[in-house]
Amino acid sequence: MASEPLFFTEEEQQYIVEAIQEAEKQTSGEVKVHIERKCPAPDVMDRAREVFLFLHLHETAERNGVLFYLAHEDRKFAVLGDKGIDEKVTADFWDSTKELLRNHFKAGEFKEGLRHGILEAGIQLKKHFPYQSGDINELPDDISFGY
């Protein structure tokens, strides 16, 4: 990954990572946050799909990885779930999570938006992918930054 100036302080990053860890206690789903200054693709969902593959989110056992993508300078974001999630949920599954993010981001509350969106995703995913005893954390919980 290429190095770029961090959008969040170390403390803010930890705040978001703790939300990932808390959400993953609810579900076997895997949550990842990726942040870039600018979205290099015209369509934010195309870029999210590219990052999803780059971060190997499609390699989880149940295909239940979730990417929270944020291009902060462009004010673009996406929430993308893997095939295993899409096969079990309705097309509007992520709408409440995206609306929560949108409301916080409009107010300039990026870390709060990510935290609340991630926690909401954990609650939603629990319905289809509940946490199982012995669940293995398949992906690192840290935030990745532009590549």
mmCIF file with all atom_site columns, all heavy atoms in Angstrom, residues 12 21 40 49 56 62 72-73 79 96 101 105 113-114 122 126-128 142:
data_model
loop_
_atom_site.group_PDB
_atom_site.id
_atom_site.type_symbol
_atom_site.label_atom_id
_atom_site.label_alt_id
_atom_site.label_comp_id
_atom_site.label_asym_id
_atom_site.label_entity_id
_atom_site.label_seq_id
_atom_site.pdbx_PDB_ins_code
_atom_site.Cartn_x
_atom_site.Cartn_y
_atom_site.Cartn_z
_atom_site.occupancy
_atom_site.B_iso_or_equiv
_atom_site.pdbx_formal_charge
_atom_site.auth_seq_id
_atom_site.auth_comp_id
_atom_site.auth_asym_id
_atom_site.auth_atom_id
_atom_site.pdbx_PDB_model_num
ATOM 1   N N   . GLU A 1 12  ? -8.303  8.221   16.658  1.00 0.00 ? 12  GLU A N   1
ATOM 2   C CA  . GLU A 1 12  ? -9.517  8.075   15.857  1.00 0.00 ? 12  GLU A CA  1
ATOM 3   C C   . GLU A 1 12  ? -9.535  6.740   15.122  1.00 0.00 ? 12  GLU A C   1
ATOM 4   O O   . GLU A 1 12  ? -10.583 6.092   15.020  1.00 0.00 ? 12  GLU A O   1
ATOM 5   C CB  . GLU A 1 12  ? -9.639  9.238   14.863  1.00 0.00 ? 12  GLU A CB  1
ATOM 6   C CG  . GLU A 1 12  ? -9.937  10.561  15.541  1.00 0.00 ? 12  GLU A CG  1
ATOM 7   C CD  . GLU A 1 12  ? -9.793  11.756  14.608  1.00 0.00 ? 12  GLU A CD  1
ATOM 8   O OE1 . GLU A 1 12  ? -8.973  11.722  13.667  1.00 0.00 ? 12  GLU A OE1 1
ATOM 9   O OE2 . GLU A 1 12  ? -10.517 12.745  14.832  1.00 0.00 ? 12  GLU A OE2 1
ATOM 10  N N   . GLN A 1 21  ? -14.168 -4.447  15.731  1.00 0.00 ? 21  GLN A N   1
ATOM 11  C CA  . GLN A 1 21  ? -14.067 -5.581  16.649  1.00 0.00 ? 21  GLN A CA  1
ATOM 12  C C   . GLN A 1 21  ? -15.395 -5.851  17.351  1.00 0.00 ? 21  GLN A C   1
ATOM 13  O O   . GLN A 1 21  ? -15.799 -7.007  17.513  1.00 0.00 ? 21  GLN A O   1
ATOM 14  C CB  . GLN A 1 21  ? -12.940 -5.337  17.653  1.00 0.00 ? 21  GLN A CB  1
ATOM 15  C CG  . GLN A 1 21  ? -11.581 -5.330  16.974  1.00 0.00 ? 21  GLN A CG  1
ATOM 16  C CD  . GLN A 1 21  ? -10.464 -4.766  17.824  1.00 0.00 ? 21  GLN A CD  1
ATOM 17  O OE1 . GLN A 1 21  ? -10.697 -4.062  18.808  1.00 0.00 ? 21  GLN A OE1 1
ATOM 18  N NE2 . GLN A 1 21  ? -9.233  -5.072  17.443  1.00 0.00 ? 21  GLN A NE2 1
ATOM 19  N N   . PRO A 1 40  ? -10.093 7.352   -7.504  1.00 0.00 ? 40  PRO A N   1
ATOM 20  C CA  . PRO A 1 40  ? -9.504  7.435   -8.841  1.00 0.00 ? 40  PRO A CA  1
ATOM 21  C C   . PRO A 1 40  ? -10.409 6.949   -9.974  1.00 0.00 ? 40  PRO A C   1
ATOM 22  O O   . PRO A 1 40  ? -10.071 7.097   -11.137 1.00 0.00 ? 40  PRO A O   1
ATOM 23  C CB  . PRO A 1 40  ? -8.260  6.550   -8.728  1.00 0.00 ? 40  PRO A CB  1
ATOM 24  C CG  . PRO A 1 40  ? -8.578  5.595   -7.642  1.00 0.00 ? 40  PRO A CG  1
ATOM 25  C CD  . PRO A 1 40  ? -9.488  6.309   -6.686  1.00 0.00 ? 40  PRO A CD  1
ATOM 26  N N   . ARG A 1 49  ? -15.218 -2.067  -5.613  1.00 0.00 ? 49  ARG A N   1
ATOM 27  C CA  . ARG A 1 49  ? -15.035 -3.450  -6.045  1.00 0.00 ? 49  ARG A CA  1
ATOM 28  C C   . ARG A 1 49  ? -13.550 -3.771  -6.251  1.00 0.00 ? 49  ARG A C   1
ATOM 29  O O   . ARG A 1 49  ? -13.079 -4.850  -5.897  1.00 0.00 ? 49  ARG A O   1
ATOM 30  C CB  . ARG A 1 49  ? -15.824 -3.727  -7.325  1.00 0.00 ? 49  ARG A CB  1
ATOM 31  C CG  . ARG A 1 49  ? -17.319 -3.926  -7.085  1.00 0.00 ? 49  ARG A CG  1
ATOM 32  C CD  . ARG A 1 49  ? -18.053 -4.446  -8.307  1.00 0.00 ? 49  ARG A CD  1
ATOM 33  N NE  . ARG A 1 49  ? -18.671 -3.484  -9.171  1.00 0.00 ? 49  ARG A NE  1
ATOM 34  C CZ  . ARG A 1 49  ? -19.652 -2.650  -8.858  1.00 0.00 ? 49  ARG A CZ  1
ATOM 35  N NH1 . ARG A 1 49  ? -20.134 -2.624  -7.659  1.00 0.00 ? 49  ARG A NH1 1
ATOM 36  N NH2 . ARG A 1 49  ? -20.164 -1.837  -9.753  1.00 0.00 ? 49  ARG A NH2 1
ATOM 37  N N   . HIS A 1 56  ? -8.537  -8.740  -0.613  1.00 0.00 ? 56  HIS A N   1
ATOM 38  C CA  . HIS A 1 56  ? -8.888  -10.164 -0.478  1.00 0.00 ? 56  HIS A CA  1
ATOM 39  C C   . HIS A 1 56  ? -10.150 -10.402 0.348   1.00 0.00 ? 56  HIS A C   1
ATOM 40  O O   . HIS A 1 56  ? -10.295 -11.440 0.994   1.00 0.00 ? 56  HIS A O   1
ATOM 41  C CB  . HIS A 1 56  ? -7.713  -10.965 0.100   1.00 0.00 ? 56  HIS A CB  1
ATOM 42  C CG  . HIS A 1 56  ? -6.467  -10.829 -0.706  1.00 0.00 ? 56  HIS A CG  1
ATOM 43  N ND1 . HIS A 1 56  ? -6.257  -11.512 -1.877  1.00 0.00 ? 56  HIS A ND1 1
ATOM 44  C CD2 . HIS A 1 56  ? -5.369  -10.041 -0.526  1.00 0.00 ? 56  HIS A CD2 1
ATOM 45  C CE1 . HIS A 1 56  ? -5.087  -11.180 -2.391  1.00 0.00 ? 56  HIS A CE1 1
ATOM 46  N NE2 . HIS A 1 56  ? -4.532  -10.281 -1.596  1.00 0.00 ? 56  HIS A NE2 1
ATOM 47  N N   . GLU A 1 62  ? -17.157 -17.823 4.247   1.00 0.00 ? 62  GLU A N   1
ATOM 48  C CA  . GLU A 1 62  ? -18.585 -17.716 3.949   1.00 0.00 ? 62  GLU A CA  1
ATOM 49  C C   . GLU A 1 62  ? -18.900 -16.636 2.913   1.00 0.00 ? 62  GLU A C   1
ATOM 50  O O   . GLU A 1 62  ? -20.072 -16.346 2.677   1.00 0.00 ? 62  GLU A O   1
ATOM 51  C CB  . GLU A 1 62  ? -19.380 -17.440 5.231   1.00 0.00 ? 62  GLU A CB  1
ATOM 52  C CG  . GLU A 1 62  ? -19.355 -18.597 6.207   1.00 0.00 ? 62  GLU A CG  1
ATOM 53  C CD  . GLU A 1 62  ? -20.277 -18.340 7.380   1.00 0.00 ? 62  GLU A CD  1
ATOM 54  O OE1 . GLU A 1 62  ? -21.504 -18.325 7.162   1.00 0.00 ? 62  GLU A OE1 1
ATOM 55  O OE2 . GLU A 1 62  ? -19.764 -18.144 8.497   1.00 0.00 ? 62  GLU A OE2 1
ATOM 56  N N   . HIS A 1 72  ? -12.328 10.713  1.142   1.00 0.00 ? 72  HIS A N   1
ATOM 57  C CA  . HIS A 1 72  ? -12.769 11.868  1.928   1.00 0.00 ? 72  HIS A CA  1
ATOM 58  C C   . HIS A 1 72  ? -12.717 13.198  1.185   1.00 0.00 ? 72  HIS A C   1
ATOM 59  O O   . HIS A 1 72  ? -13.613 14.016  1.348   1.00 0.00 ? 72  HIS A O   1
ATOM 60  C CB  . HIS A 1 72  ? -12.048 11.938  3.276   1.00 0.00 ? 72  HIS A CB  1
ATOM 61  C CG  . HIS A 1 72  ? -10.565 11.989  3.195   1.00 0.00 ? 72  HIS A CG  1
ATOM 62  N ND1 . HIS A 1 72  ? -9.867  13.150  3.075   1.00 0.00 ? 72  HIS A ND1 1
ATOM 63  C CD2 . HIS A 1 72  ? -9.643  10.994  3.242   1.00 0.00 ? 72  HIS A CD2 1
ATOM 64  C CE1 . HIS A 1 72  ? -8.571  12.879  3.053   1.00 0.00 ? 72  HIS A CE1 1
ATOM 65  N NE2 . HIS A 1 72  ? -8.413  11.580  3.155   1.00 0.00 ? 72  HIS A NE2 1
ATOM 66  N N   . GLU A 1 73  ? -11.722 13.447  0.362   1.00 0.00 ? 73  GLU A N   1
ATOM 67  C CA  . GLU A 1 73  ? -11.679 14.738  -0.336  1.00 0.00 ? 73  GLU A CA  1
ATOM 68  C C   . GLU A 1 73  ? -12.776 14.838  -1.395  1.00 0.00 ? 73  GLU A C   1
ATOM 69  O O   . GLU A 1 73  ? -13.304 15.913  -1.653  1.00 0.00 ? 73  GLU A O   1
ATOM 70  C CB  . GLU A 1 73  ? -10.304 14.981  -0.958  1.00 0.00 ? 73  GLU A CB  1
ATOM 71  C CG  . GLU A 1 73  ? -9.272  15.412  0.059   1.00 0.00 ? 73  GLU A CG  1
ATOM 72  C CD  . GLU A 1 73  ? -7.957  15.836  -0.574  1.00 0.00 ? 73  GLU A CD  1
ATOM 73  O OE1 . GLU A 1 73  ? -7.889  16.045  -1.814  1.00 0.00 ? 73  GLU A OE1 1
ATOM 74  O OE2 . GLU A 1 73  ? -6.980  15.955  0.183   1.00 0.00 ? 73  GLU A OE2 1
ATOM 75  N N   . VAL A 1 79  ? -20.504 1.099   0.512   1.00 0.00 ? 79  VAL A N   1
ATOM 76  C CA  . VAL A 1 79  ? -20.544 -0.080  1.370   1.00 0.00 ? 79  VAL A CA  1
ATOM 77  C C   . VAL A 1 79  ? -20.788 -1.247  0.428   1.00 0.00 ? 79  VAL A C   1
ATOM 78  O O   . VAL A 1 79  ? -21.747 -1.243  -0.342  1.00 0.00 ? 79  VAL A O   1
ATOM 79  C CB  . VAL A 1 79  ? -21.670 0.005   2.418   1.00 0.00 ? 79  VAL A CB  1
ATOM 80  C CG1 . VAL A 1 79  ? -21.683 -1.250  3.291   1.00 0.00 ? 79  VAL A CG1 1
ATOM 81  C CG2 . VAL A 1 79  ? -21.524 1.252   3.275   1.00 0.00 ? 79  VAL A CG2 1
ATOM 82  N N   . SER A 1 96  ? -30.045 1.296   5.018   1.00 0.00 ? 96  SER A N   1
ATOM 83  C CA  . SER A 1 96  ? -30.056 1.970   6.331   1.00 0.00 ? 96  SER A CA  1
ATOM 84  C C   . SER A 1 96  ? -28.635 2.306   6.780   1.00 0.00 ? 96  SER A C   1
ATOM 85  O O   . SER A 1 96  ? -28.389 3.366   7.349   1.00 0.00 ? 96  SER A O   1
ATOM 86  C CB  . SER A 1 96  ? -30.767 1.123   7.387   1.00 0.00 ? 96  SER A CB  1
ATOM 87  O OG  . SER A 1 96  ? -30.076 -0.090  7.622   1.00 0.00 ? 96  SER A OG  1
ATOM 88  N N   . LEU A 1 101 ? -24.415 6.565   7.387   1.00 0.00 ? 101 LEU A N   1
ATOM 89  C CA  . LEU A 1 101 ? -23.121 7.126   6.990   1.00 0.00 ? 101 LEU A CA  1
ATOM 90  C C   . LEU A 1 101 ? -23.306 8.501   6.348   1.00 0.00 ? 101 LEU A C   1
ATOM 91  O O   . LEU A 1 101 ? -22.616 9.456   6.697   1.00 0.00 ? 101 LEU A O   1
ATOM 92  C CB  . LEU A 1 101 ? -22.422 6.203   5.991   1.00 0.00 ? 101 LEU A CB  1
ATOM 93  C CG  . LEU A 1 101 ? -21.877 4.895   6.534   1.00 0.00 ? 101 LEU A CG  1
ATOM 94  C CD1 . LEU A 1 101 ? -21.510 3.964   5.389   1.00 0.00 ? 101 LEU A CD1 1
ATOM 95  C CD2 . LEU A 1 101 ? -20.684 5.132   7.431   1.00 0.00 ? 101 LEU A CD2 1
ATOM 96  N N   . PHE A 1 105 ? -21.596 11.918  7.540   1.00 0.00 ? 105 PHE A N   1
ATOM 97  C CA  . PHE A 1 105 ? -20.589 12.496  6.661   1.00 0.00 ? 105 PHE A CA  1
ATOM 98  C C   . PHE A 1 105 ? -20.975 13.912  6.234   1.00 0.00 ? 105 PHE A C   1
ATOM 99  O O   . PHE A 1 105 ? -20.117 14.792  6.157   1.00 0.00 ? 105 PHE A O   1
ATOM 100 C CB  . PHE A 1 105 ? -20.358 11.618  5.425   1.00 0.00 ? 105 PHE A CB  1
ATOM 101 C CG  . PHE A 1 105 ? -19.686 10.298  5.718   1.00 0.00 ? 105 PHE A CG  1
ATOM 102 C CD1 . PHE A 1 105 ? -19.585 9.337   4.730   1.00 0.00 ? 105 PHE A CD1 1
ATOM 103 C CD2 . PHE A 1 105 ? -19.157 9.988   6.966   1.00 0.00 ? 105 PHE A CD2 1
ATOM 104 C CE1 . PHE A 1 105 ? -18.965 8.114   4.962   1.00 0.00 ? 105 PHE A CE1 1
ATOM 105 C CE2 . PHE A 1 105 ? -18.543 8.776   7.222   1.00 0.00 ? 105 PHE A CE2 1
ATOM 106 C CZ  . PHE A 1 105 ? -18.443 7.837   6.208   1.00 0.00 ? 105 PHE A CZ  1
ATOM 107 N N   . GLY A 1 113 ? -19.506 8.554   11.856  1.00 0.00 ? 113 GLY A N   1
ATOM 108 C CA  . GLY A 1 113 ? -20.268 7.897   10.804  1.00 0.00 ? 113 GLY A CA  1
ATOM 109 C C   . GLY A 1 113 ? -19.782 6.485   10.556  1.00 0.00 ? 113 GLY A C   1
ATOM 110 O O   . GLY A 1 113 ? -20.581 5.549   10.486  1.00 0.00 ? 113 GLY A O   1
ATOM 111 N N   . LEU A 1 114 ? -18.461 6.333   10.441  1.00 0.00 ? 114 LEU A N   1
ATOM 112 C CA  . LEU A 1 114 ? -17.915 4.998   10.228  1.00 0.00 ? 114 LEU A CA  1
ATOM 113 C C   . LEU A 1 114 ? -18.227 4.088   11.412  1.00 0.00 ? 114 LEU A C   1
ATOM 114 O O   . LEU A 1 114 ? -18.663 2.953   11.234  1.00 0.00 ? 114 LEU A O   1
ATOM 115 C CB  . LEU A 1 114 ? -16.405 5.058   9.981   1.00 0.00 ? 114 LEU A CB  1
ATOM 116 C CG  . LEU A 1 114 ? -16.012 5.524   8.587   1.00 0.00 ? 114 LEU A CG  1
ATOM 117 C CD1 . LEU A 1 114 ? -14.523 5.803   8.502   1.00 0.00 ? 114 LEU A CD1 1
ATOM 118 C CD2 . LEU A 1 114 ? -16.426 4.493   7.532   1.00 0.00 ? 114 LEU A CD2 1
ATOM 119 N N   . GLY A 1 122 ? -22.881 -4.761  11.714  1.00 0.00 ? 122 GLY A N   1
ATOM 120 C CA  . GLY A 1 122 ? -22.775 -5.937  12.574  1.00 0.00 ? 122 GLY A CA  1
ATOM 121 C C   . GLY A 1 122 ? -24.136 -6.446  13.011  1.00 0.00 ? 122 GLY A C   1
ATOM 122 O O   . GLY A 1 122 ? -24.411 -7.656  12.990  1.00 0.00 ? 122 GLY A O   1
ATOM 123 N N   . LYS A 1 126 ? -25.720 -10.016 11.690  1.00 0.00 ? 126 LYS A N   1
ATOM 124 C CA  . LYS A 1 126 ? -25.988 -11.036 12.708  1.00 0.00 ? 126 LYS A CA  1
ATOM 125 C C   . LYS A 1 126 ? -27.214 -11.871 12.340  1.00 0.00 ? 126 LYS A C   1
ATOM 126 O O   . LYS A 1 126 ? -27.274 -13.064 12.624  1.00 0.00 ? 126 LYS A O   1
ATOM 127 C CB  . LYS A 1 126 ? -26.194 -10.352 14.066  1.00 0.00 ? 126 LYS A CB  1
ATOM 128 C CG  . LYS A 1 126 ? -26.467 -11.299 15.200  1.00 0.00 ? 126 LYS A CG  1
ATOM 129 C CD  . LYS A 1 126 ? -26.655 -10.530 16.486  1.00 0.00 ? 126 LYS A CD  1
ATOM 130 C CE  . LYS A 1 126 ? -26.938 -11.495 17.639  1.00 0.00 ? 126 LYS A CE  1
ATOM 131 N NZ  . LYS A 1 126 ? -27.090 -10.771 18.899  1.00 0.00 ? 126 LYS A NZ  1
ATOM 132 N N   . LYS A 1 127 ? -28.178 -11.273 11.666  1.00 0.00 ? 127 LYS A N   1
ATOM 133 C CA  . LYS A 1 127 ? -29.408 -11.974 11.288  1.00 0.00 ? 127 LYS A CA  1
ATOM 134 C C   . LYS A 1 127 ? -29.131 -13.119 10.319  1.00 0.00 ? 127 LYS A C   1
ATOM 135 O O   . LYS A 1 127 ? -29.829 -14.119 10.318  1.00 0.00 ? 127 LYS A O   1
ATOM 136 C CB  . LYS A 1 127 ? -30.399 -10.990 10.648  1.00 0.00 ? 127 LYS A CB  1
ATOM 137 C CG  . LYS A 1 127 ? -30.840 -9.887  11.574  1.00 0.00 ? 127 LYS A CG  1
ATOM 138 C CD  . LYS A 1 127 ? -31.645 -8.834  10.827  1.00 0.00 ? 127 LYS A CD  1
ATOM 139 C CE  . LYS A 1 127 ? -31.904 -7.634  11.706  1.00 0.00 ? 127 LYS A CE  1
ATOM 140 N NZ  . LYS A 1 127 ? -32.519 -6.527  10.968  1.00 0.00 ? 127 LYS A NZ  1
ATOM 141 N N   . HIS A 1 128 ? -28.131 -12.957 9.472   1.00 0.00 ? 128 HIS A N   1
ATOM 142 C CA  . HIS A 1 128 ? -27.841 -13.945 8.433   1.00 0.00 ? 128 HIS A CA  1
ATOM 143 C C   . HIS A 1 128 ? -26.536 -14.699 8.678   1.00 0.00 ? 128 HIS A C   1
ATOM 144 O O   . HIS A 1 128 ? -26.357 -15.813 8.178   1.00 0.00 ? 128 HIS A O   1
ATOM 145 C CB  . HIS A 1 128 ? -27.775 -13.262 7.067   1.00 0.00 ? 128 HIS A CB  1
ATOM 146 C CG  . HIS A 1 128 ? -29.024 -12.532 6.723   1.00 0.00 ? 128 HIS A CG  1
ATOM 147 N ND1 . HIS A 1 128 ? -30.152 -13.168 6.239   1.00 0.00 ? 128 HIS A ND1 1
ATOM 148 C CD2 . HIS A 1 128 ? -29.359 -11.228 6.828   1.00 0.00 ? 128 HIS A CD2 1
ATOM 149 C CE1 . HIS A 1 128 ? -31.109 -12.280 6.050   1.00 0.00 ? 128 HIS A CE1 1
ATOM 150 N NE2 . HIS A 1 128 ? -30.649 -11.089 6.394   1.00 0.00 ? 128 HIS A NE2 1
ATOM 151 N N   . ASP A 1 142 ? -7.490  -3.650  11.145  1.00 0.00 ? 142 ASP A N   1
ATOM 152 C CA  . ASP A 1 142 ? -6.955  -2.304  10.958  1.00 0.00 ? 142 ASP A CA  1
ATOM 153 C C   . ASP A 1 142 ? -7.558  -1.621  9.734   1.00 0.00 ? 142 ASP A C   1
ATOM 154 O O   . ASP A 1 142 ? -8.156  -2.269  8.875   1.00 0.00 ? 142 ASP A O   1
ATOM 155 C CB  . ASP A 1 142 ? -5.428  -2.341  10.844  1.00 0.00 ? 142 ASP A CB  1
ATOM 156 C CG  . ASP A 1 142 ? -4.943  -3.125  9.628   1.00 0.00 ? 142 ASP A CG  1
ATOM 157 O OD1 . ASP A 1 142 ? -5.637  -4.073  9.198   1.00 0.00 ? 142 ASP A OD1 1
ATOM 158 O OD2 . ASP A 1 142 ? -3.885  -2.779  9.100   1.00 0.00 ? 142 ASP A OD2 1
#
